[in-house]
Amino acid sequence: MPFSNGGLALQPRIDPDIRATILGIKFKIKVDNPDHDDIVTIAICASVFGLTGIMLTYAWCNYNYRPIRAKNLTWTTLIYLSTVLWFLGNIPANGHVRLVGAWSHCKLWIIWFRVLFCFVFASMTIVRFYALERVFNQKKPFTVWSSLISGCVVVVLNVVYCLVNQLISGSLTTEYFQELEVCNVTQAFRIAALTFQWVLWAGVGVLFFRLRNIQSSFNEFWESMAIFAVIIALLIESSVTNLHYKYYILQKSRRIEKTVMDMAAANLVIWLFIGYPVFMSIFNRRDYEQRWLERLAKDRPANVYKNENNSYTKMNEIGGYDNKHQMNSLDMSTLGLNNGHHPFADQHPLNIESALNGHSAFDANALPEDFRHNLNIQTPVMNAPPMFASNYLDSTHGGRHVL
């Protein structure tokens, strides 16, 4: 019988045909050993993840493109990384390689890669939707600290779940049978993992339903509907596969189908999050951004952008990205915004920016009527720029400001 080095000790290798015969007799199914088709499946899936990675890299390179910046790219990238590690766990867990050597550590690949990052994928999606919920429904900022705390909670909860499964006996979760080169996964472990997934994605469903009426520039209701439909279809497929076809990893067609389904759903979620603004930035960059700004101007910025440290809502064009003079520094009662009136309703967003930031000659009559009498806007003295231009000025050593 051939041997392979599996760590410090020599590990016996069973002949593949003998292994398939023994497992086929035991489980009364036709057993297919990993072959060229499994390698092709891994290569195709890896290529799709690589394509998604290229898209995210492009998005980061164009982070200053405002429709992309509004998509919370940090959390979207973290979600993508969790799907990559989930796929890595799927390679041995779904039987695409012979479980010898490093691949024979069942708990490592099944608990700490496949299960953990499948849960992290769902949990980070919850956090991403919660950021929108906190900003637009709760009217609270989603700051760096909020992001860090949310991330820590996600990690801790999922790690605790996996740590408990790691510490208890493998006979209750998953263990390796060296003689047949197979990981045995108990039915109780499968049911517990599937139940936890259903609970997590039910939470996602509740959040995206609450976000259905937020301002149009940040509204992701239809994308969320599509994401939820994809995930529900995947959960149904996973539940049927794991509970009805318990030995699917021994059958080539079923294990390939399971891996491809997981890969397709994971990548589709990322593309639904960020794909459209990336596509438009390539093929219709200027017009799409202009339309996006027009929608932004109609979203009552006084209500949307009043949280100063908001990672979602700091936009240069209205109120200023990283601008300490947010729209809430104005006297909103004199603007009439609280009564449903928008002073910029009839003006183009780029003209708004020019008027407020002092990039054109000052003309009080060019401002909306509500702004003409507002005490927060002072007529410039000797052509000095108005107060809105303060963040565009550089100080000289003499204390003066120049554009």
Side-chain angles (χ1 to χ4, degrees):
M1 182 178 294
F3 288 80
S4 69
N5 192 349
L8 296 178
L10 291 177
Q11 180 176 315
R13 294 280 300 274
I14 188 173
D15 182 83
D17 293 333
I18 296 176
R19 171 183 179 271
T21 302
I22 294 173
L23 290 173
I25 294 173
K26 180 177 179 62
F27 301 121
K28 295 180 175 59
I29 58 173
K30 181 181 181 299
V31 174
D32 301 307
N33 288 308
D35 59 14
H36 176 73
D37 292 338
D38 293 276
I39 301 301
V40 171
T41 300
I42 294 172
I44 292 174
C45 292
S47 299
V48 175
F49 278 107
L51 182 63
T52 303
I54 291 172
M55 180 195 67
L56 282 171
T57 302
Y58 174 87
W60 277 108
C61 292
N62 290 268
Y63 183 72
N64 288 329
Y65 186 65
R66 286 153 292 217
I68 289 178
R69 190 169 61 206
K71 290 295 185 178
N72 202 336
L73 202 52
T74 299
W75 278 102
T76 304
T77 303
L78 291 174
I79 292 171
Y80 166 73
L81 293 176
S82 70
T83 64
V84 172
L85 295 172
W86 172 19
F87 166 68
L88 186 60
N90 266 348
I91 293 174
N94 284 346
H96 293 297
V97 292
R98 293 196 66 178
L99 302 184
V100 295
W103 296 116
S104 65
H105 301 288
C106 297
K107 284 194 172 183
L108 172 65
W109 296 112
I110 294 177
I111 295 178
W112 293 104
F113 276 84
R114 184 184 191 177
V115 172
L116 174 61
F117 289 104
C118 181
F119 290 172
V120 169
F121 168 62
S123 301
M124 286 186 174
T125 305
I126 289 176
V127 174
R128 189 184 181 280
F129 281 133
Y130 175 71
L132 286 169
E133 157 73 14
R134 184 173 175 86
V135 170
F136 292 99
N137 287 343
Q138 300 180 20
K139 309 299 181 185
K140 297 177 181 179
F142 190 74
T143 61
V144 173
W145 280 110
S146 301
S147 183
L148 289 175
I149 291 172
S150 301
C152 289
V153 170
V154 165
V155 171
V156 169
L157 287 178
N158 291 299
V159 166
V160 167
Y161 177 92
C162 291
L163 187 60
V164 170
N165 284 281
Q166 174 70 35
L167 295 177
I168 63 179
S169 172
S171 61
L172 300 176
T173 54
T174 179
E175 60 182 340
Y176 181 64
F177 288 97
Q178 180 175 308
E179 299 80 5
L180 297 176
E181 297 178 358
V182 66
C183 288
N184 178 56
V185 181
T186 66
Q187 195 74 343
F189 179 76
R190 297 183 195 215
I191 293 173
L194 287 168
T195 301
F196 197 22
Q197 286 188 65
W198 278 100
V199 170
L200 288 173
W201 285 105
V204 173
V206 171
L207 282 173
F208 95 72
F209 180 78
R210 287 180 53 80
L211 293 168
R212 67 193 183 280
N213 293 323
I214 69 172
Q215 283 73 16
S216 62
S217 301
F218 296 90
N219 193 305
E220 296 181 345
F221 181 72
W222 294 110
E223 295 95 324
S224 302
M225 283 278 288
I227 289 169
F228 197 64
V230 168
I231 294 301
I232 291 301
L234 180 64
L235 286 175
I236 293 173
E237 184 271 340
S238 295
S239 299
V240 171
T241 299
N242 280 279
L243 300 180
H244 185 67
Y245 301 103
K246 294 185 292 185
Y247 310 113
Y248 73 91
I249 64 171
L250 301 176
Q251 298 173 291
K252 181 168 63 177
S253 60
R254 296 202 181 278
R255 64 173 175 256
I256 289 177
E257 174 262 336
K258 182 73 188 81
T259 300
V260 170
M261 284 286 292
D262 288 350
M263 176 278 297
N267 283 274
L268 190 55
V269 167
I270 305 301
W271 281 87
L272 287 169
F273 275 141
I274 196 70
Y276 185 69
V278 167
F279 178 87
M280 296 303 289
S281 75
I282 297 173
F283 297 103
N284 196 20
R285 187 180 186 91
R286 179 68 177 176
D287 290 343
Y288 177 69
E289 184 179 39
Q290 194 164 313
R291 292 198 305 270
W292 189 87
L293 287 173
E294 288 172 354
R295 288 196 302 165
L296 188 67
K298 296 177 183 178
D299 283 344
R300 298 186 184 181
N303 296 325
V304 180
Y305 303 100
K306 65 183 179 180
N307 295 321
E308 184 170 350
N309 295 318
N310 212 322
S311 63
Y312 256 102
T313 58
K314 293 181 182 177
M315 291 288 127
N316 276 333
E317 288 62 37
I318 299 182
Y321 195 83
D322 290 332
N323 188 352
K324 61 184 177 183
H325 296 293
Q326 297 289 330
M327 289 298 293
N328 62 320
S329 66
L330 300 177
D331 182 359
M332 296 305 169
S333 62
T334 62
L335 299 184
L337 291 178
N338 293 330
N339 296 323
H341 171 64
H342 193 295
F344 291 134
D346 299 323
Q347 297 197 33
H348 192 279
L350 299 181
N351 295 333
I352 297 170
E353 182 180 18
S354 178
L356 294 184
N357 294 331
H359 294 169
S360 59
F362 180 80
D363 181 6
N365 293 325
L367 290 171
E369 183 177 354
D370 291 324
F371 270 7
R372 297 175 195 172
H373 310 293
N374 192 280
L375 296 180
N376 290 281
I377 303 176
Q378 304 294 334
T379 302
V381 178
M382 298 183 66
N383 292 325
M387 62 171 285
F388 291 95
S390 60
N391 282 331
Y392 295 88
L393 302 178
D394 295 324
S395 299
T396 65
H397 293 293
R400 300 177 62 189
H401 291 87
V402 294
L403 286 172

